[in-house]
Amino acid sequence: QVQLVESGGGLVQAGGSLRLSCAASGISGSMFSINTMGWYRQAPGKQRELVARITSGGSTNYEDSVKDRFTISRDNAKNTAYLQMNSLKPEDTAVYYCNANLYGQYSGYNYWGQGTQVTVSS
C-alpha cells in the first residue's frame, strides 16, 4: 500500500530554517512511478494552498510568498521529496502536507500525507 509520511516539522524562530521530508513507501518494486510531488500547507482558518511542486523531470513552481526562500527537491531513487525552508516567517506557520501523483500505464492515483506542523515564532 502506498503511503506518504512527512517529517521534519517543528517549532523555530523567525529567520530560522527547517527541512521537510516526504517519503513515499510501497512504490519501489511496484508498477507505479511518481509523476509530480508537491508540498501544500493549511493555516488555521485558511484554505489549503500549494507551496511548491516538482515534476519527475525536476521542473518546479512555487507560491509567490515562498519563492525566494523555499526550495523543493526530490530523490527519485528514494521516492522522497524535500522542502528546504529558509528565512522562515510567522506567516509560514501551518500544517504542511505532502502530495504525490502516481501513474501506471493506464491509471493514476493521488496521495496525501498526514501532515507535519510547522510553527514559526516571532
Side-chain angles (χ1 to χ4, degrees), residues 30-82:
S30 74
M31 64 185 70
F32 297 102
S33 299
I34 301 176
N35 186 11
T36 61
M37 299 188 75
W39 288 95
Y40 294 72
R41 67 186 180 187
Q42 187 166 20
K46 295 187 177 181
Q47 295 183 8
R48 185 174 300 185
E49 65 175 358
L50 174 69
V51 178
R53 184 166 57 187
I54 185 169
T55 70
S56 60
S59 297
T60 61
N61 60 83
Y62 297 89
E63 193 272 330
D64 288 342
S65 68
V66 310
K67 184 173 175 56
D68 297 327
R69 300 180 294 119
F70 293 7
T71 302
I72 188 171
S73 61
R74 64 190 289 172
D75 186 334
N76 291 334
K78 296 182 179 295
N79 292 318
T80 301
Y82 306 92

